[in-house]
Amino acid sequence: MTRAMSCLVLVPFVLFVACFAIGCRTVREEIEHIHSLGDRLEANPTDRQSLAEIEAYLHHSDRTLRTQAVSTLGNAGAKHLDVLGDEVVPLLIARLTDDDAYVRRYAVVHLGHYGSKAVPAVPALIEVLRNNKFADSGLFAAEVLGNLGTPALPAVPELIQSLDYRGVDGKVDQAAIQGPASEALFKLSPLGAEYVAEMQKRLDRLFGEPLALVALAILKSQPKNTQATQALARVLADQSIPSVIAALLNINRVPTDLFDQNVLVPALAKCSQSPNHEARDLGSEQLARFKSQDTR
């Protein structure tokens, strides 16, 4: 190859590397600019120019910059809820349908910091939950919905459907959507009889902490439900100590008079004799709580 031909081959390569480096520097510089805008907005929540510039980044073609803008705007709005909350929430809601999973995830997470001001996001969060059970955004959506209380009750059917999610191996994935979905159902209870019936249908398909939480959601809705109390007893008899401990901690979250004590007290008595000291201590504590209730 001649020297001239070598130069012809080398020049495009050098230009490519240079352009790539410039592009990276530009993204880094823009990220730093977004952060500086966020600092200005947090220092002065009435700074309309900074707010407008961050909002413009929400529509940028680069997903990294959109993610940074969502996070920066979300933080500023949460810090100044009274001034920025009502304006920022619709901007975060709009990002729940973003093409990028990270942008959606951060939009959901930040909405979780807005308390009751995030109520307008309920319909969009239900859609995130419905369409993203494989992704973090779906898990976080369930968590946020559970924390919104009564306004999130329209999410209950989708939360119950989420209990049926199965992984690629065809097995129920307790570590995925069932966890936050069952926690949300527990927090949103008491629920109507039609939802109790739907949750009861799923008691035999769940195990571990999700089973305990769904059983407790049923008991909060329909006290002394024997089937739900039996489900709790099954969790307490589980060989998995973390599941037993989680169930005992969750049982402590509700009054004793919700349970069919003829079923639960014997299960607690067995836990109080567990070889695991933490399960034994918690079991003894709960057993004492139920017995003290009986003597009143």
Side-chain angles (χ1 to χ4, degrees):
M1 181 180 295
T2 66
R3 189 170 186 176
M5 290 179 64
S6 297
C7 290
L8 289 174
V9 172
L10 184 60
V11 168
F13 176 74
V14 172
L15 288 174
F16 171 78
V17 172
C19 290
F20 180 77
I22 292 171
C24 288
R25 285 198 300 271
T26 301
V27 170
R28 286 199 298 271
E29 289 168 359
E30 288 185 326
I31 289 173
E32 291 174 2
H33 182 54
I34 292 171
H35 291 168
S36 69
L37 291 171
D39 291 341
R40 283 159 47 185
L41 190 59
E42 289 193 21
N44 177 16
T46 61
D47 183 350
R48 306 304 302 178
Q49 181 178 348
S50 294
L51 178 62
E53 286 192 52
I54 298 172
E55 182 179 352
Y57 276 107
L58 294 175
H59 307 281
H60 200 283
S61 60
D62 188 293
R63 67 175 188 170
T64 300
L65 297 181
R66 295 201 306 279
T67 302
Q68 291 294 325
V70 165
S71 185
T72 300
L73 190 61
N75 285 331
K79 186 174 181 178
H80 299 286
L81 277 177
D82 292 340
V83 180
L84 293 172
D86 292 331
E87 191 164 3
V88 171
V89 165
L91 299 177
L92 295 177
I93 291 174
R95 290 301 97 203
L96 295 178
T97 55
D98 196 278
D99 292 337
D100 184 73
Y102 279 99
V103 177
R104 295 194 301 271
R105 172 187 178 181
Y106 279 94
V108 173
V109 169
H110 283 285
L111 281 167
H113 301 152
Y114 281 68
S116 60
K117 286 191 178 293
V119 167
V122 167
L125 287 168
I126 294 173
E127 286 302 308
V128 172
L129 175 62
R130 179 176 292 119
N131 299 322
N132 295 275
K133 289 186 174 61
F134 291 94
D136 287 345
S137 57
L139 277 68
F140 289 125
E143 181 179 339
V144 174
L145 288 164
N147 290 332
L148 286 177
T150 302
L153 286 176
V156 168
E158 191 59 40
L159 288 166
I160 293 175
Q161 288 293 324
S162 297
L163 300 175
D164 298 331
Y165 168 75
R166 294 180 180 271
V168 293
D169 58 358
K171 296 180 180 179
V172 173
D173 190 348
Q174 301 289 334
I177 193 65
Q178 279 86 1
S182 58
E183 176 75 21
L185 288 167
F186 173 78
K187 289 180 176 178
L188 295 175
S189 297
L191 301 171
E194 70 277 18
Y195 297 133
V196 170
E198 287 300 316
M199 288 189 289
Q200 282 190 166
K201 291 177 184 177
R202 290 160 170 84
L203 289 177
D204 290 336
R205 310 177 199 170
L206 298 169
F207 57 88
E209 187 172 9
L211 174 57
L213 287 166
V214 172
L216 288 169
I218 293 171
L219 287 161
K220 285 174 67 179
S221 309
Q222 195 177 90
K224 300 188 185 299
N225 183 296
T226 298
Q227 186 179 351
T229 311
Q230 288 172 338
L232 280 171
R234 290 202 305 274
V235 179
L236 294 177
D238 200 318
Q239 296 299 310
S240 170
I241 294 299
S243 294
V244 173
I245 291 171
L248 289 166
L249 291 171
N250 287 321
I251 288 170
N252 191 47
R253 296 166 68 184
V254 298
T256 58
D257 58 2
L258 295 186
F259 303 91
D260 181 341
Q261 295 194 27
N262 291 329
V263 174
L264 191 64
V265 169
L268 291 173
K270 290 182 180 178
C271 285
S272 70
Q273 300 172 5
S274 172
N276 178 274
H277 73 89
E278 188 173 3
R280 182 173 62 250
D281 291 348
L282 288 171
S284 299
E285 179 184 326
Q286 290 308 304
L287 185 61
R289 183 167 75 104
F290 277 80
K291 287 184 175 180
S292 67
Q293 184 69 25
D294 286 341
T295 59
R296 291 178 187 177

